[in-house]
Amino acid sequence: MTKVLAIGAYTEEEGAALAAAFECHPLADEREIANLPHPLRAEITGVAYKGHQGFGAAEMAHLPNLRLVANYGVGYDSIDIEAASARGITVTNTPDVLNDDVADLAIALWLMQGREMEQASAWARSGRWAQEGEYRRNRKLSGARVGIVGLGRIGREIADRLAAFKCELHYHARSEKETPGWRYYADPVALAEAVDVLFIALVGGPATEGYVSKEVIAALGPRGVIINISRGSTIDEAAMLDALEAGELAGAGLDVFLNEPQIDPRFYALPNVVIQPHQGSGSVETRAAMARLQRDNLAAHLSGAALLTPVN
């Protein structure tokens, strides 16, 4: 058995699987590393990371022989990749296994927002359907002009699903991709001007902070809808709230926010916003696959084999 740290809120099943595979020391968060005995810290070469506070140079400095941070999740913006690389520490993540779930949720947010499914359900449940008649008209979605910001793995899955809805597909990415005739835009503002719905599928981190800017939101216009399953940081959230409140944006479907889970209370007053608690990958099957890929990366590191999904 080899000693590793497991940092974060692992489920009972995930914790048991880590304990079965490794001599595992669980920590609630990264701030507890400094309190570990120095001999134990010196023995740790791998970390299973499911934290959110941030794993940076200060945390790494407490683990002098650390060589791997195996992240639970495809997004690794809470880990300081530059600091890890400078120390010769490899970071891995869990891509691909969650693509379907996240793309499914993106489509669900779009459907729920456009067809006002939360409000219509409340209409029926409250008895108003029986008393007052049918629910008000809402918005046709099939055939919509849709833009995707970030045509990576998850963005591509979203686009493939939208194609089945007969949507007119447009996208922005760092470079033009091979697609079945989807239109590419080098400028996200130009993309927003051309569509009615904007799906955000960017990676998180400093490079994409506020990428969907006030100018992008204004270009989308009063019939525009934003769907975000990436990170709360990828949108100018204050500008989006201002536009929603002023009627300069028709609505949003959001699984991610700044300062989760303490999100801006302004969102709660907006009936045209569908709110989800960052549960894009949150199916039993996908979370099990993510945890397994994290363990497989740790096992590969400890045995000297090639890592499955390195990011640096």
Side-chain angles (χ1 to χ4, degrees), residues 33 55-66 69 79-81 83-85 87 89 91:
I33 298 173
F55 197 84
E59 289 73 27
M60 296 173 195
H62 293 305
L63 302 169
N65 295 308
L66 182 63
V69 180
I79 301 170
D80 189 332
I81 299 295
S85 297
R87 278 270 314 272
I89 299 167
V91 177

Side-chain angles (χ1 to χ4, degrees), residues 10-11 13-14 50 71-75 93-105 154 157 161 255 278-296:
Y10 287 94
T11 66
E13 292 81 4
E14 291 165 350
K50 195 182 179 182
N71 188 56
Y72 179 108
V74 66
N93 66 342
T94 59
D96 296 321
V97 294
L98 48 65
N99 296 354
D100 283 336
D101 271 357
V102 177
D104 288 350
L105 189 75
I154 293 172
E157 290 290 344
R161 284 157 174 76
D255 188 43
H278 201 157
Q279 63 121 355
S281 64
S283 72
V284 171
E285 295 85 354
T286 291
R287 290 289 171 87
M290 291 166 61
R292 184 166 55 250
L293 181 51
Q294 182 187 49
R295 294 193 302 272
D296 288 348

